[in-house]
């Protein structure tokens, strides 16, 4: 059974940093692209960042480019999102999402999410 | 960037109703279209990929169709567990944008 368990969310002040983790199990982690998708309170889904199975290919939405960095450690089956220069508008539930193949970013499984609150 | 729109933004329906939601892409996305269901306070759930293929375990009351820029999701007979918000997403090119969602609630 595919399981994705996010951690690392919390309250941070504007301008601060936070690192999210997603521990994956139930599948061959290195064989699948992974993404982070967020949802601000009361809003829709926003794709944030994606990384290919090997970790060499990464994408970031314009809204986070230069501030967020997605990475993965295939030896630990763990996905990361380093978030710097956080803003109030980054407040959201962040979901870890499994892709359908090494470079396929279609989501077939979702984590339960971790809440990030940016506030002073 | 490819923009995704959905209509309606919300609809009210009764148990047993047939419901159709539409999704439109700002440019041709071939069949790189997926649908998701989200209930309040829960993570999204993957329903359909490649326009019309059901994710494993998704009941056949869900169906979808479309091509190019225009797509639709149909629930053949709405059940209490189907009241939720539905999102489409294109995965043809980065950034992999979602539609704004369609909320299906009880009439």
């Amino acid at each position: 059974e595919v399981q994705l368990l996010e951690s690392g969310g919390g309250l941070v002040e504007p301008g601060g940093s936070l690192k999210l983790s997603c521990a994956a199990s139930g599948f061959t982690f290195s064989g699948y692209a992974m993404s982070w998708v967020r949802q601000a309170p009361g809003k829709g889904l926003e794709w944030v960042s994606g990384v290919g199975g090997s970790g060499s290919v990464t994408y970031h939405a314009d809204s986070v480019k230069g501030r967020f960095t997605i990475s993965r450690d295939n030896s630990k089956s763990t996905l990361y999102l380093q978030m710097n220069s956080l803003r109030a508008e980054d407040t959201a539930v962040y979901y870890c999402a499994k892709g359908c193949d090494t470079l396929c970013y279609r989501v077939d499984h979702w984590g339960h999410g971790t809440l990030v609150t940016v506030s002073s | 960037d490819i923009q995704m729109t959905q209509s309606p933004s919300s609809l009210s329906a009764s148990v047993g109703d047939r419901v159709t939601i539409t999704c439109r892409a700002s440019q041709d996305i071939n069949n790189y279209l997926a649908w998701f269901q989200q209930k309040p306070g829960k993570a999204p759930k993957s329903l359909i990929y490649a326009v019309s293929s059901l994710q494993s375990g998704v009941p056949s009351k869900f169906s979808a169709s479309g091509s190019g820029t225009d797509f639709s999701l149909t629930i053949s007979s709405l059940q209490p567990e189907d009241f939720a918000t539905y999102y489409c997403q294109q995965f043809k090119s980065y950034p992999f944008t979602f539609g704004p969602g369609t909320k299906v609630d009880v009439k």
Side-chain angles (χ1 to χ4, degrees), chain A residues 37 39 43-45 47 59-60 62 65 95 105-108 110-111, chain B residues 1 36 38 42-46 49 55 87 91 94-96 98:
Chain A
V37 176
Q39 186 169 38
K43 302 297 185 181
L45 301 171
W47 178 85
Y59 299 105
H60 296 274
D62 285 348
K65 199 172 294 181
Y95 295 103
Y105 294 88
R106 171 179 62 80
V107 178
D108 60 14
W110 299 76
Chain B
D1 296 1
F36 304 93
Q38 188 180 33
K42 300 295 186 181
K45 174 186 174 182
S46 300
Y49 63 95
Q55 199 74 36
Y87 296 92
F91 55 100
Y94 143 88
F96 306 108
F98 289 89

PDB file of all heavy atoms in Angstrom, chain A residues 37 39 43-45 47 59-60 62 65 95 105-108 110-111, chain B residues 1 36 38 42-46 49 55 87 91 94-96 98:
ATOM      1  N   VAL A  37       1.941  19.897  -3.617  1.00  0.00           N
ATOM      2  CA  VAL A  37       0.745  20.657  -3.991  1.00  0.00           C
ATOM      3  C   VAL A  37       0.230  21.312  -2.728  1.00  0.00           C
ATOM      4  O   VAL A  37       0.171  20.665  -1.683  1.00  0.00           O
ATOM      5  CB  VAL A  37      -0.331  19.729  -4.603  1.00  0.00           C
ATOM      6  CG1 VAL A  37      -1.608  20.518  -4.906  1.00  0.00           C
ATOM      7  CG2 VAL A  37       0.196  19.040  -5.853  1.00  0.00           C
ATOM      8  N   GLN A  39      -2.666  24.037  -0.626  1.00  0.00           N
ATOM      9  CA  GLN A  39      -4.041  24.540  -0.606  1.00  0.00           C
ATOM     10  C   GLN A  39      -4.172  25.558   0.506  1.00  0.00           C
ATOM     11  O   GLN A  39      -4.135  25.196   1.691  1.00  0.00           O
ATOM     12  CB  GLN A  39      -5.028  23.395  -0.415  1.00  0.00           C
ATOM     13  CG  GLN A  39      -6.476  23.795  -0.528  1.00  0.00           C
ATOM     14  CD  GLN A  39      -7.394  22.578  -0.601  1.00  0.00           C
ATOM     15  OE1 GLN A  39      -7.180  21.569   0.059  1.00  0.00           O
ATOM     16  NE2 GLN A  39      -8.445  22.669  -1.407  1.00  0.00           N
ATOM     17  N   LYS A  43      -9.298  27.791  -0.207  1.00  0.00           N
ATOM     18  CA  LYS A  43      -8.978  27.978  -1.626  1.00  0.00           C
ATOM     19  C   LYS A  43      -8.790  26.641  -2.339  1.00  0.00           C
ATOM     20  O   LYS A  43      -8.904  25.574  -1.738  1.00  0.00           O
ATOM     21  CB  LYS A  43      -7.695  28.819  -1.765  1.00  0.00           C
ATOM     22  CG  LYS A  43      -7.782  30.183  -1.099  1.00  0.00           C
ATOM     23  CD  LYS A  43      -8.847  31.059  -1.725  1.00  0.00           C
ATOM     24  CE  LYS A  43      -8.827  32.455  -1.110  1.00  0.00           C
ATOM     25  NZ  LYS A  43      -9.897  33.334  -1.698  1.00  0.00           N
ATOM     26  N   GLY A  44      -8.474  26.721  -3.616  1.00  0.00           N
ATOM     27  CA  GLY A  44      -8.271  25.526  -4.422  1.00  0.00           C
ATOM     28  C   GLY A  44      -6.855  24.994  -4.337  1.00  0.00           C
ATOM     29  O   GLY A  44      -6.026  25.473  -3.575  1.00  0.00           O
ATOM     30  N   LEU A  45      -6.591  23.977  -5.161  1.00  0.00           N
ATOM     31  CA  LEU A  45      -5.291  23.325  -5.184  1.00  0.00           C
ATOM     32  C   LEU A  45      -4.320  24.097  -6.078  1.00  0.00           C
ATOM     33  O   LEU A  45      -4.698  24.573  -7.154  1.00  0.00           O
ATOM     34  CB  LEU A  45      -5.434  21.896  -5.708  1.00  0.00           C
ATOM     35  CG  LEU A  45      -6.359  20.983  -4.906  1.00  0.00           C
ATOM     36  CD1 LEU A  45      -6.583  19.669  -5.647  1.00  0.00           C
ATOM     37  CD2 LEU A  45      -5.794  20.733  -3.517  1.00  0.00           C
ATOM     38  N   TRP A  47      -0.416  23.535  -7.658  1.00  0.00           N
ATOM     39  CA  TRP A  47       0.801  22.761  -7.816  1.00  0.00           C
ATOM     40  C   TRP A  47       1.995  23.680  -7.526  1.00  0.00           C
ATOM     41  O   TRP A  47       2.070  24.787  -8.047  1.00  0.00           O
ATOM     42  CB  TRP A  47       0.880  22.197  -9.234  1.00  0.00           C
ATOM     43  CG  TRP A  47       2.127  21.422  -9.487  1.00  0.00           C
ATOM     44  CD1 TRP A  47       2.355  20.109  -9.217  1.00  0.00           C
ATOM     45  CD2 TRP A  47       3.327  21.944 -10.052  1.00  0.00           C
ATOM     46  NE1 TRP A  47       3.634  19.786  -9.584  1.00  0.00           N
ATOM     47  CE2 TRP A  47       4.258  20.886 -10.093  1.00  0.00           C
ATOM     48  CE3 TRP A  47       3.713  23.186 -10.527  1.00  0.00           C
ATOM     49  CZ2 TRP A  47       5.530  21.034 -10.591  1.00  0.00           C
ATOM     50  CZ3 TRP A  47       4.986  23.343 -11.028  1.00  0.00           C
ATOM     51  CH2 TRP A  47       5.881  22.262 -11.050  1.00  0.00           C
ATOM     52  N   TYR A  59      11.093  21.243 -11.058  1.00  0.00           N
ATOM     53  CA  TYR A  59      10.257  22.338 -11.526  1.00  0.00           C
ATOM     54  C   TYR A  59       9.679  23.056 -10.315  1.00  0.00           C
ATOM     55  O   TYR A  59       9.374  22.426  -9.301  1.00  0.00           O
ATOM     56  CB  TYR A  59       9.078  21.830 -12.361  1.00  0.00           C
ATOM     57  CG  TYR A  59       9.436  21.071 -13.609  1.00  0.00           C
ATOM     58  CD1 TYR A  59       9.312  19.678 -13.665  1.00  0.00           C
ATOM     59  CD2 TYR A  59       9.855  21.733 -14.757  1.00  0.00           C
ATOM     60  CE1 TYR A  59       9.601  18.985 -14.822  1.00  0.00           C
ATOM     61  CE2 TYR A  59      10.151  21.039 -15.913  1.00  0.00           C
ATOM     62  CZ  TYR A  59      10.020  19.668 -15.939  1.00  0.00           C
ATOM     63  OH  TYR A  59      10.307  18.983 -17.087  1.00  0.00           O
ATOM     64  N   HIS A  60       9.496  24.358 -10.452  1.00  0.00           N
ATOM     65  CA  HIS A  60       8.852  25.145  -9.403  1.00  0.00           C
ATOM     66  C   HIS A  60       7.875  26.129 -10.039  1.00  0.00           C
ATOM     67  O   HIS A  60       8.153  26.706 -11.095  1.00  0.00           O
ATOM     68  CB  HIS A  60       9.890  25.920  -8.595  1.00  0.00           C
ATOM     69  CG  HIS A  60      10.848  25.033  -7.846  1.00  0.00           C
ATOM     70  ND1 HIS A  60      10.570  24.533  -6.597  1.00  0.00           N
ATOM     71  CD2 HIS A  60      12.056  24.551  -8.177  1.00  0.00           C
ATOM     72  CE1 HIS A  60      11.577  23.774  -6.196  1.00  0.00           C
ATOM     73  NE2 HIS A  60      12.495  23.770  -7.140  1.00  0.00           N
ATOM     74  N   ASP A  62       6.009  29.647 -10.556  1.00  0.00           N
ATOM     75  CA  ASP A  62       6.576  30.997 -10.512  1.00  0.00           C
ATOM     76  C   ASP A  62       6.398  31.637  -9.137  1.00  0.00           C
ATOM     77  O   ASP A  62       7.237  32.425  -8.695  1.00  0.00           O
ATOM     78  CB  ASP A  62       5.906  31.881 -11.567  1.00  0.00           C
ATOM     79  CG  ASP A  62       6.387  31.552 -12.971  1.00  0.00           C
ATOM     80  OD1 ASP A  62       7.389  30.812 -13.109  1.00  0.00           O
ATOM     81  OD2 ASP A  62       5.759  32.033 -13.934  1.00  0.00           O
ATOM     82  N   LYS A  65       9.360  30.226  -7.105  1.00  0.00           N
ATOM     83  CA  LYS A  65      10.675  30.110  -7.722  1.00  0.00           C
ATOM     84  C   LYS A  65      11.668  31.048  -7.058  1.00  0.00           C
ATOM     85  O   LYS A  65      11.370  32.211  -6.808  1.00  0.00           O
ATOM     86  CB  LYS A  65      10.559  30.403  -9.221  1.00  0.00           C
ATOM     87  CG  LYS A  65      11.702  29.885 -10.057  1.00  0.00           C
ATOM     88  CD  LYS A  65      11.405  30.041 -11.542  1.00  0.00           C
ATOM     89  CE  LYS A  65      10.265  29.164 -11.982  1.00  0.00           C
ATOM     90  NZ  LYS A  65       9.975  29.281 -13.435  1.00  0.00           N
ATOM     91  N   TYR A  95       0.597  19.249   0.486  1.00  0.00           N
ATOM     92  CA  TYR A  95       0.435  17.827   0.233  1.00  0.00           C
ATOM     93  C   TYR A  95       1.620  17.289  -0.564  1.00  0.00           C
ATOM     94  O   TYR A  95       2.052  17.904  -1.552  1.00  0.00           O
ATOM     95  CB  TYR A  95      -0.830  17.563  -0.579  1.00  0.00           C
ATOM     96  CG  TYR A  95      -2.118  17.897   0.122  1.00  0.00           C
ATOM     97  CD1 TYR A  95      -2.835  19.057  -0.186  1.00  0.00           C
ATOM     98  CD2 TYR A  95      -2.658  17.030   1.080  1.00  0.00           C
ATOM     99  CE1 TYR A  95      -4.025  19.357   0.455  1.00  0.00           C
ATOM    100  CE2 TYR A  95      -3.845  17.317   1.722  1.00  0.00           C
ATOM    101  CZ  TYR A  95      -4.530  18.483   1.398  1.00  0.00           C
ATOM    102  OH  TYR A  95      -5.714  18.769   2.029  1.00  0.00           O
ATOM    103  N   TYR A 105       4.094  13.541 -13.898  1.00  0.00           N
ATOM    104  CA  TYR A 105       3.694  14.280 -12.711  1.00  0.00           C
ATOM    105  C   TYR A 105       2.211  14.169 -12.423  1.00  0.00           C
ATOM    106  O   TYR A 105       1.701  14.876 -11.546  1.00  0.00           O
ATOM    107  CB  TYR A 105       4.126  15.744 -12.857  1.00  0.00           C
ATOM    108  CG  TYR A 105       5.627  15.864 -12.871  1.00  0.00           C
ATOM    109  CD1 TYR A 105       6.338  15.770 -14.067  1.00  0.00           C
ATOM    110  CD2 TYR A 105       6.339  16.006 -11.685  1.00  0.00           C
ATOM    111  CE1 TYR A 105       7.721  15.833 -14.089  1.00  0.00           C
ATOM    112  CE2 TYR A 105       7.730  16.080 -11.700  1.00  0.00           C
ATOM    113  CZ  TYR A 105       8.404  15.984 -12.897  1.00  0.00           C
ATOM    114  OH  TYR A 105       9.766  16.041 -12.914  1.00  0.00           O
ATOM    115  N   ARG A 106       1.507  13.327 -13.176  1.00  0.00           N
ATOM    116  CA  ARG A 106       0.110  13.075 -12.832  1.00  0.00           C
ATOM    117  C   ARG A 106       0.078  12.391 -11.470  1.00  0.00           C
ATOM    118  O   ARG A 106       0.731  11.397 -11.228  1.00  0.00           O
ATOM    119  CB  ARG A 106      -0.563  12.186 -13.881  1.00  0.00           C
ATOM    120  CG  ARG A 106      -1.941  11.725 -13.458  1.00  0.00           C
ATOM    121  CD  ARG A 106      -2.586  10.881 -14.525  1.00  0.00           C
ATOM    122  NE  ARG A 106      -1.871   9.654 -14.821  1.00  0.00           N
ATOM    123  CZ  ARG A 106      -1.938   8.557 -14.097  1.00  0.00           C
ATOM    124  NH1 ARG A 106      -2.648   8.524 -12.989  1.00  0.00           N
ATOM    125  NH2 ARG A 106      -1.265   7.469 -14.470  1.00  0.00           N
ATOM    126  N   VAL A 107      -0.750  12.923 -10.580  1.00  0.00           N
ATOM    127  CA  VAL A 107      -0.805  12.412  -9.209  1.00  0.00           C
ATOM    128  C   VAL A 107      -1.707  11.196  -9.134  1.00  0.00           C
ATOM    129  O   VAL A 107      -2.868  11.238  -9.590  1.00  0.00           O
ATOM    130  CB  VAL A 107      -1.318  13.499  -8.241  1.00  0.00           C
ATOM    131  CG1 VAL A 107      -1.426  12.932  -6.826  1.00  0.00           C
ATOM    132  CG2 VAL A 107      -0.401  14.709  -8.261  1.00  0.00           C
ATOM    133  N   ASP A 108      -1.178  10.111  -8.546  1.00  0.00           N
ATOM    134  CA  ASP A 108      -2.072   8.975  -8.305  1.00  0.00           C
ATOM    135  C   ASP A 108      -2.254   8.674  -6.823  1.00  0.00           C
ATOM    136  O   ASP A 108      -3.177   7.946  -6.453  1.00  0.00           O
ATOM    137  CB  ASP A 108      -1.634   7.721  -9.095  1.00  0.00           C
ATOM    138  CG  ASP A 108      -0.239   7.238  -8.742  1.00  0.00           C
ATOM    139  OD1 ASP A 108       0.325   7.683  -7.718  1.00  0.00           O
ATOM    140  OD2 ASP A 108       0.300   6.414  -9.503  1.00  0.00           O
ATOM    141  N   TRP A 110      -1.909  10.664  -2.762  1.00  0.00           N
ATOM    142  CA  TRP A 110      -1.691  11.889  -2.011  1.00  0.00           C
ATOM    143  C   TRP A 110      -1.379  11.563  -0.551  1.00  0.00           C
ATOM    144  O   TRP A 110      -1.911  10.608   0.007  1.00  0.00           O
ATOM    145  CB  TRP A 110      -2.955  12.749  -2.022  1.00  0.00           C
ATOM    146  CG  TRP A 110      -3.416  13.204  -3.359  1.00  0.00           C
ATOM    147  CD1 TRP A 110      -4.064  12.460  -4.310  1.00  0.00           C
ATOM    148  CD2 TRP A 110      -3.292  14.514  -3.903  1.00  0.00           C
ATOM    149  NE1 TRP A 110      -4.352  13.229  -5.408  1.00  0.00           N
ATOM    150  CE2 TRP A 110      -3.898  14.503  -5.180  1.00  0.00           C
ATOM    151  CE3 TRP A 110      -2.753  15.718  -3.423  1.00  0.00           C
ATOM    152  CZ2 TRP A 110      -3.953  15.634  -5.994  1.00  0.00           C
ATOM    153  CZ3 TRP A 110      -2.818  16.838  -4.228  1.00  0.00           C
ATOM    154  CH2 TRP A 110      -3.402  16.793  -5.499  1.00  0.00           C
ATOM    155  N   GLY A 111      -0.555  12.409   0.071  1.00  0.00           N
ATOM    156  CA  GLY A 111      -0.393  12.342   1.505  1.00  0.00           C
ATOM    157  C   GLY A 111      -1.554  13.060   2.178  1.00  0.00           C
ATOM    158  O   GLY A 111      -2.443  13.598   1.505  1.00  0.00           O
TER     159      GLY A 111
ATOM    160  N   ASP B   1       1.856  29.671 -19.686  1.00  0.00           N
ATOM    161  CA  ASP B   1       1.252  28.668 -18.824  1.00  0.00           C
ATOM    162  C   ASP B   1      -0.144  28.291 -19.332  1.00  0.00           C
ATOM    163  O   ASP B   1      -0.858  29.113 -19.907  1.00  0.00           O
ATOM    164  CB  ASP B   1       1.116  29.188 -17.387  1.00  0.00           C
ATOM    165  CG  ASP B   1       2.445  29.464 -16.716  1.00  0.00           C
ATOM    166  OD1 ASP B   1       3.495  29.265 -17.380  1.00  0.00           O
ATOM    167  OD2 ASP B   1       2.427  29.880 -15.558  1.00  0.00           O
ATOM    168  N   PHE B  36      -9.874  14.972  -9.775  1.00  0.00           N
ATOM    169  CA  PHE B  36      -9.697  14.661  -8.370  1.00  0.00           C
ATOM    170  C   PHE B  36     -10.946  15.048  -7.591  1.00  0.00           C
ATOM    171  O   PHE B  36     -11.650  15.999  -7.950  1.00  0.00           O
ATOM    172  CB  PHE B  36      -8.494  15.411  -7.790  1.00  0.00           C
ATOM    173  CG  PHE B  36      -7.215  15.151  -8.535  1.00  0.00           C
ATOM    174  CD1 PHE B  36      -6.816  15.988  -9.561  1.00  0.00           C
ATOM    175  CD2 PHE B  36      -6.430  14.055  -8.228  1.00  0.00           C
ATOM    176  CE1 PHE B  36      -5.653  15.748 -10.274  1.00  0.00           C
ATOM    177  CE2 PHE B  36      -5.266  13.795  -8.935  1.00  0.00           C
ATOM    178  CZ  PHE B  36      -4.881  14.640  -9.959  1.00  0.00           C
ATOM    179  N   GLN B  38     -12.263  16.017  -3.637  1.00  0.00           N
ATOM    180  CA  GLN B  38     -11.807  16.396  -2.298  1.00  0.00           C
ATOM    181  C   GLN B  38     -12.995  16.680  -1.397  1.00  0.00           C
ATOM    182  O   GLN B  38     -13.858  17.481  -1.744  1.00  0.00           O
ATOM    183  CB  GLN B  38     -10.885  17.617  -2.333  1.00  0.00           C
ATOM    184  CG  GLN B  38     -10.253  17.914  -0.980  1.00  0.00           C
ATOM    185  CD  GLN B  38      -9.338  19.111  -1.003  1.00  0.00           C
ATOM    186  OE1 GLN B  38      -9.564  20.071  -1.732  1.00  0.00           O
ATOM    187  NE2 GLN B  38      -8.278  19.061  -0.195  1.00  0.00           N
ATOM    188  N   LYS B  42     -10.123  16.888   4.114  1.00  0.00           N
ATOM    189  CA  LYS B  42      -9.420  15.678   3.673  1.00  0.00           C
ATOM    190  C   LYS B  42      -8.485  15.985   2.512  1.00  0.00           C
ATOM    191  O   LYS B  42      -8.630  16.987   1.820  1.00  0.00           O
ATOM    192  CB  LYS B  42     -10.429  14.616   3.234  1.00  0.00           C
ATOM    193  CG  LYS B  42     -11.395  14.185   4.331  1.00  0.00           C
ATOM    194  CD  LYS B  42     -10.688  13.481   5.471  1.00  0.00           C
ATOM    195  CE  LYS B  42     -11.682  12.929   6.480  1.00  0.00           C
ATOM    196  NZ  LYS B  42     -11.016  12.253   7.614  1.00  0.00           N
ATOM    197  N   ALA B  43      -7.537  15.073   2.288  1.00  0.00           N
ATOM    198  CA  ALA B  43      -6.665  15.187   1.128  1.00  0.00           C
ATOM    199  C   ALA B  43      -7.460  14.865  -0.135  1.00  0.00           C
ATOM    200  O   ALA B  43      -8.452  14.132  -0.078  1.00  0.00           O
ATOM    201  CB  ALA B  43      -5.493  14.221   1.258  1.00  0.00           C
ATOM    202  N   PRO B  44      -7.030  15.407  -1.254  1.00  0.00           N
ATOM    203  CA  PRO B  44      -7.683  15.028  -2.513  1.00  0.00           C
ATOM    204  C   PRO B  44      -7.528  13.533  -2.766  1.00  0.00           C
ATOM    205  O   PRO B  44      -6.634  12.874  -2.235  1.00  0.00           O
ATOM    206  CB  PRO B  44      -6.917  15.839  -3.566  1.00  0.00           C
ATOM    207  CG  PRO B  44      -6.284  16.943  -2.822  1.00  0.00           C
ATOM    208  CD  PRO B  44      -5.954  16.378  -1.461  1.00  0.00           C
ATOM    209  N   LYS B  45      -8.410  13.042  -3.625  1.00  0.00           N
ATOM    210  CA  LYS B  45      -8.361  11.640  -4.046  1.00  0.00           C
ATOM    211  C   LYS B  45      -8.341  11.618  -5.566  1.00  0.00           C
ATOM    212  O   LYS B  45      -9.099  12.355  -6.215  1.00  0.00           O
ATOM    213  CB  LYS B  45      -9.598  10.893  -3.534  1.00  0.00           C
ATOM    214  CG  LYS B  45      -9.740   9.464  -4.036  1.00  0.00           C
ATOM    215  CD  LYS B  45     -11.072   8.860  -3.575  1.00  0.00           C
ATOM    216  CE  LYS B  45     -11.291   7.490  -4.178  1.00  0.00           C
ATOM    217  NZ  LYS B  45     -12.601   6.900  -3.789  1.00  0.00           N
ATOM    218  N   SER B  46      -7.486  10.800  -6.109  1.00  0.00           N
ATOM    219  CA  SER B  46      -7.394  10.698  -7.570  1.00  0.00           C
ATOM    220  C   SER B  46      -8.539   9.856  -8.097  1.00  0.00           C
ATOM    221  O   SER B  46      -8.766   8.744  -7.628  1.00  0.00           O
ATOM    222  CB  SER B  46      -6.054  10.088  -7.959  1.00  0.00           C
ATOM    223  OG  SER B  46      -4.989  10.887  -7.496  1.00  0.00           O
ATOM    224  N   TYR B  49      -7.677   9.543 -14.847  1.00  0.00           N
ATOM    225  CA  TYR B  49      -6.477  10.039 -15.525  1.00  0.00           C
ATOM    226  C   TYR B  49      -6.602   9.785 -17.024  1.00  0.00           C
ATOM    227  O   TYR B  49      -7.484   9.044 -17.464  1.00  0.00           O
ATOM    228  CB  TYR B  49      -5.220   9.381 -14.964  1.00  0.00           C
ATOM    229  CG  TYR B  49      -5.159   7.869 -15.172  1.00  0.00           C
ATOM    230  CD1 TYR B  49      -4.484   7.322 -16.256  1.00  0.00           C
ATOM    231  CD2 TYR B  49      -5.773   7.000 -14.274  1.00  0.00           C
ATOM    232  CE1 TYR B  49      -4.421   5.956 -16.441  1.00  0.00           C
ATOM    233  CE2 TYR B  49      -5.718   5.630 -14.455  1.00  0.00           C
ATOM    234  CZ  TYR B  49      -5.031   5.110 -15.543  1.00  0.00           C
ATOM    235  OH  TYR B  49      -4.978   3.752 -15.725  1.00  0.00           O
ATOM    236  N   GLN B  55      -9.085   5.551 -11.945  1.00  0.00           N
ATOM    237  CA  GLN B  55      -8.062   5.106 -11.008  1.00  0.00           C
ATOM    238  C   GLN B  55      -8.572   3.820 -10.339  1.00  0.00           C
ATOM    239  O   GLN B  55      -9.787   3.611 -10.201  1.00  0.00           O
ATOM    240  CB  GLN B  55      -7.845   6.193  -9.963  1.00  0.00           C
ATOM    241  CG  GLN B  55      -6.549   6.132  -9.194  1.00  0.00           C
ATOM    242  CD  GLN B  55      -5.350   6.567 -10.006  1.00  0.00           C
ATOM    243  OE1 GLN B  55      -5.447   7.480 -10.826  1.00  0.00           O
ATOM    244  NE2 GLN B  55      -4.222   5.940  -9.769  1.00  0.00           N
ATOM    245  N   TYR B  87     -11.830  18.728  -8.873  1.00  0.00           N
ATOM    246  CA  TYR B  87     -10.822  19.521  -9.578  1.00  0.00           C
ATOM    247  C   TYR B  87     -10.328  18.765 -10.811  1.00  0.00           C
ATOM    248  O   TYR B  87     -10.135  17.547 -10.767  1.00  0.00           O
ATOM    249  CB  TYR B  87      -9.605  19.775  -8.683  1.00  0.00           C
ATOM    250  CG  TYR B  87      -9.861  20.605  -7.456  1.00  0.00           C
ATOM    251  CD1 TYR B  87     -10.190  20.010  -6.245  1.00  0.00           C
ATOM    252  CD2 TYR B  87      -9.750  21.999  -7.489  1.00  0.00           C
ATOM    253  CE1 TYR B  87     -10.424  20.771  -5.105  1.00  0.00           C
ATOM    254  CE2 TYR B  87      -9.972  22.766  -6.356  1.00  0.00           C
ATOM    255  CZ  TYR B  87     -10.312  22.140  -5.172  1.00  0.00           C
ATOM    256  OH  TYR B  87     -10.528  22.903  -4.043  1.00  0.00           O
ATOM    257  N   PHE B  91      -1.590  17.784 -16.977  1.00  0.00           N
ATOM    258  CA  PHE B  91      -0.216  17.391 -16.711  1.00  0.00           C
ATOM    259  C   PHE B  91       0.575  17.254 -18.017  1.00  0.00           C
ATOM    260  O   PHE B  91       1.508  16.454 -18.131  1.00  0.00           O
ATOM    261  CB  PHE B  91      -0.147  16.115 -15.856  1.00  0.00           C
ATOM    262  CG  PHE B  91      -0.894  14.925 -16.392  1.00  0.00           C
ATOM    263  CD1 PHE B  91      -0.242  13.919 -17.069  1.00  0.00           C
ATOM    264  CD2 PHE B  91      -2.268  14.794 -16.189  1.00  0.00           C
ATOM    265  CE1 PHE B  91      -0.921  12.816 -17.539  1.00  0.00           C
ATOM    266  CE2 PHE B  91      -2.964  13.698 -16.655  1.00  0.00           C
ATOM    267  CZ  PHE B  91      -2.281  12.700 -17.345  1.00  0.00           C
ATOM    268  N   TYR B  94       4.620  21.807 -17.656  1.00  0.00           N
ATOM    269  CA  TYR B  94       4.834  22.566 -16.438  1.00  0.00           C
ATOM    270  C   TYR B  94       4.439  24.031 -16.658  1.00  0.00           C
ATOM    271  O   TYR B  94       4.666  24.538 -17.747  1.00  0.00           O
ATOM    272  CB  TYR B  94       6.304  22.420 -16.058  1.00  0.00           C
ATOM    273  CG  TYR B  94       6.953  23.631 -15.477  1.00  0.00           C
ATOM    274  CD1 TYR B  94       6.899  23.878 -14.112  1.00  0.00           C
ATOM    275  CD2 TYR B  94       7.617  24.537 -16.292  1.00  0.00           C
ATOM    276  CE1 TYR B  94       7.503  24.988 -13.577  1.00  0.00           C
ATOM    277  CE2 TYR B  94       8.218  25.656 -15.763  1.00  0.00           C
ATOM    278  CZ  TYR B  94       8.161  25.883 -14.398  1.00  0.00           C
ATOM    279  OH  TYR B  94       8.754  26.986 -13.883  1.00  0.00           O
ATOM    280  N   PRO B  95       3.872  24.736 -15.669  1.00  0.00           N
ATOM    281  CA  PRO B  95       3.387  24.227 -14.380  1.00  0.00           C
ATOM    282  C   PRO B  95       2.080  23.449 -14.539  1.00  0.00           C
ATOM    283  O   PRO B  95       1.235  23.809 -15.341  1.00  0.00           O
ATOM    284  CB  PRO B  95       3.179  25.503 -13.558  1.00  0.00           C
ATOM    285  CG  PRO B  95       2.856  26.551 -14.584  1.00  0.00           C
ATOM    286  CD  PRO B  95       3.657  26.194 -15.805  1.00  0.00           C
ATOM    287  N   PHE B  96       1.937  22.417 -13.765  1.00  0.00           N
ATOM    288  CA  PHE B  96       0.843  21.460 -13.936  1.00  0.00           C
ATOM    289  C   PHE B  96      -0.410  21.978 -13.233  1.00  0.00           C
ATOM    290  O   PHE B  96      -0.782  21.539 -12.165  1.00  0.00           O
ATOM    291  CB  PHE B  96       1.283  20.092 -13.411  1.00  0.00           C
ATOM    292  CG  PHE B  96       2.576  19.625 -14.032  1.00  0.00           C
ATOM    293  CD1 PHE B  96       3.749  19.608 -13.300  1.00  0.00           C
ATOM    294  CD2 PHE B  96       2.623  19.241 -15.365  1.00  0.00           C
ATOM    295  CE1 PHE B  96       4.956  19.207 -13.879  1.00  0.00           C
ATOM    296  CE2 PHE B  96       3.816  18.839 -15.953  1.00  0.00           C
ATOM    297  CZ  PHE B  96       4.987  18.822 -15.207  1.00  0.00           C
ATOM    298  N   PHE B  98      -4.110  23.325 -11.944  1.00  0.00           N
ATOM    299  CA  PHE B  98      -5.417  22.806 -11.578  1.00  0.00           C
ATOM    300  C   PHE B  98      -6.501  23.793 -12.007  1.00  0.00           C
ATOM    301  O   PHE B  98      -6.264  25.000 -12.086  1.00  0.00           O
ATOM    302  CB  PHE B  98      -5.526  22.636 -10.059  1.00  0.00           C
ATOM    303  CG  PHE B  98      -4.722  21.513  -9.489  1.00  0.00           C
ATOM    304  CD1 PHE B  98      -3.417  21.722  -9.085  1.00  0.00           C
ATOM    305  CD2 PHE B  98      -5.276  20.246  -9.337  1.00  0.00           C
ATOM    306  CE1 PHE B  98      -2.660  20.691  -8.547  1.00  0.00           C
ATOM    307  CE2 PHE B  98      -4.523  19.206  -8.797  1.00  0.00           C
ATOM    308  CZ  PHE B  98      -3.219  19.435  -8.405  1.00  0.00           C
TER     309      PHE B  98
END
